Amino acid sequence: MEEDTHCTAERGLLEAVSRITMFSTTASPDEEQNQPKAEISCQANKENPEKDGLQDSSASLSPNSSMTTKELQEYWRNEKSQCIQVKLLFEIPSTRIVEHHLSKYVMYKIIILQTGSFDSNKSVIERRYSDFEKLHRNLLEDFSEELEDVTFPKKALTGNFTEEIINERKLAFKDYLGHLYSMKYIRRSKKFIDFLTKPELQEAYGCLRGGHYTKALEILLEVIGLQERLTRGNPVSIVPTLCAIVVCHKDLDNPASAFEYGEKALSRLRVHNSHRYYIPLLEAMITLAYELGKDFLSLQEKLEEWKAKKDPIRVFSLKELAVREYVQ
């Protein structure tokens, strides 16, 4: 009787684990009742938005590993500890007062850090009170219920430039951004992402249109890391930025770097060949591959295959598309 109870407990545990892991056994039916054999991997379900940001664990057991109930519990505990959720932290360490003609305002320096051991990169941006105020107003249009309990620092009629008020707002804006990011639908919203990236992208594309490719590239490389963190569930959204980086590298005579970023963009368009950047990017990559002595025939085949399926339409070059981004 005790043995039957023990086996029943083991089977119950394995059934619970199998609902959230990939479970397989190689033991015979008789052996299964005494000692379960399992192969478990801790992987994020990419189809489930609730598990957004989880990284796959590389650790796994051999299919022939024999595990008692206690060993299975210990293994699963260790596996779960390796599934670190990727999230961002917001810090506002400093401010500066800007006086421009007749206006005067405070710029808040925002440092955006990624938790975990994935990398040590950080993004640094600056925003003023009116930028935060506009973000809050825009978010209220779509998320008024979610923001009911979110406190936004009110504008003071006087004393906006005192050290006390500035320090209070530094802490308030830090908590505000953290609160917004903690809500899945808000952190994925275009309005929130635009607040963190659009001013820099507008500046970068302005430099690109003016032929200042070095400056444009510098800004784009800063922004792309933050965009990748913010849009993990929508990798296609960063294709325009990747293509702008390709254009800059190409015009700065860095074909190898241009090709590298072009490959990143193409990988995101693998199942999106109707995207407006797909054909211009393919054409640019064919030219770069030929210049670098790489295989361009496979790229050419993709281009011809697309042209055979689609009606002939006017397609802009990659650079022509890039300079049209963020044109008011």
Side-chain angles (χ1 to χ4, degrees), residues 78-94:
N78 292 335
E79 280 293 280
K80 287 195 295 183
S81 69
Q82 295 181 33
C83 294
I84 304 172
Q85 184 175 7
V86 178
K87 64 178 182 178
L88 301 181
L89 297 177
F90 299 87
E91 299 289 343
I92 304 181
S94 62

Side-chain angles (χ1 to χ4, degrees), residues 89-96 106-113 125-127 132 166-178 195:
L89 297 177
F90 299 87
E91 299 289 343
I92 304 181
S94 62
T95 61
R96 63 187 179 95
V106 179
M107 293 293 289
Y108 296 85
K109 180 180 181 180
I110 306 169
I111 298 179
I112 305 165
L113 302 166
I125 59 176
E126 283 189 318
R127 298 292 183 267
F132 282 98
I166 290 175
N167 286 333
E168 285 179 2
R169 286 184 176 173
K170 279 168 54 178
L171 294 174
F173 285 142
K174 172 189 171 181
D175 291 342
Y176 176 72
L177 291 174
F195 169 79

Side-chain angles (χ1 to χ4, degrees), residues 4-18:
D4 291 341
T5 302
H6 178 67
C7 293
T8 301
E10 286 185 349
R11 285 195 294 272
L13 174 62
L14 290 174
E15 289 173 1
V17 171
S18 67

Side-chain angles (χ1 to χ4, degrees), residues 96-109:
R96 63 187 179 95
I97 297 176
V98 178
E99 296 190 52
H100 183 68
H101 298 305
L102 299 178
S103 64
K104 182 180 180 180
Y105 52 88
V106 179
M107 293 293 289
Y108 296 85
K109 180 180 181 180

Side-chain angles (χ1 to χ4, degrees), residues 157-318:
L157 296 177
T158 59
N160 286 300
F161 303 101
T162 64
E163 184 177 354
E164 181 182 3
I165 292 294
I166 290 175
N167 286 333
E168 285 179 2
R169 286 184 176 173
K170 279 168 54 178
L171 294 174
F173 285 142
K174 172 189 171 181
D175 291 342
Y176 176 72
L177 291 174
H179 200 143
L180 294 181
Y181 184 78
S182 70
M183 293 182 279
K184 180 181 65 177
Y185 295 108
I186 290 183
R187 72 169 174 263
R188 292 181 178 180
S189 70
K190 184 177 185 300
K191 291 176 180 179
F192 181 68
I193 294 172
D194 279 352
F195 169 79
L196 296 171
T197 61
K198 189 173 180 178
E200 286 71 25
L201 286 172
Q202 288 177 320
E203 181 184 0
Y205 279 101
C207 292
L208 192 156
R209 285 189 289 272
H212 306 296
Y213 302 115
T214 300
K215 180 62 176 177
L217 182 60
E218 178 185 337
I219 301 171
L220 290 168
L221 291 175
E222 286 283 337
V223 176
I224 192 66
L226 179 56
Q227 277 189 305
E228 288 175 332
R229 292 174 173 85
L230 292 168
T231 60
R232 289 182 181 277
N234 184 20
V236 176
S237 63
I238 67 170
V239 165
T241 306
L242 289 170
C243 288
I245 293 174
V246 172
V247 170
C248 290
H249 274 306
K250 195 169 182 294
D251 283 347
L252 290 170
D253 295 323
N254 299 325
S257 296
F259 192 83
E260 175 188 348
Y261 279 92
E263 285 187 314
K264 292 180 180 180
L266 271 182
S267 70
R268 288 161 170 80
L269 296 178
R270 190 173 291 116
V271 294
H272 301 278
N273 57 19
S274 61
H275 195 281
R276 61 196 173 97
Y277 270 90
Y278 182 68
I279 293 305
L281 179 59
L282 265 183
E283 292 175 338
M285 290 294 284
I286 291 170
T287 301
L288 288 167
Y290 182 80
E291 182 180 348
L292 294 167
K294 294 179 179 289
D295 171 32
F296 64 89
L297 293 179
S298 60
L299 296 171
Q300 188 69 45
E301 288 175 2
K302 290 180 181 179
L303 180 61
E304 296 302 326
E305 180 183 346
W306 185 91
K307 288 182 176 179
K309 293 180 180 179
K310 303 288 183 179
D311 293 330
I313 56 174
R314 184 193 171 194
V315 177
F316 292 109
S317 70
L318 194 66

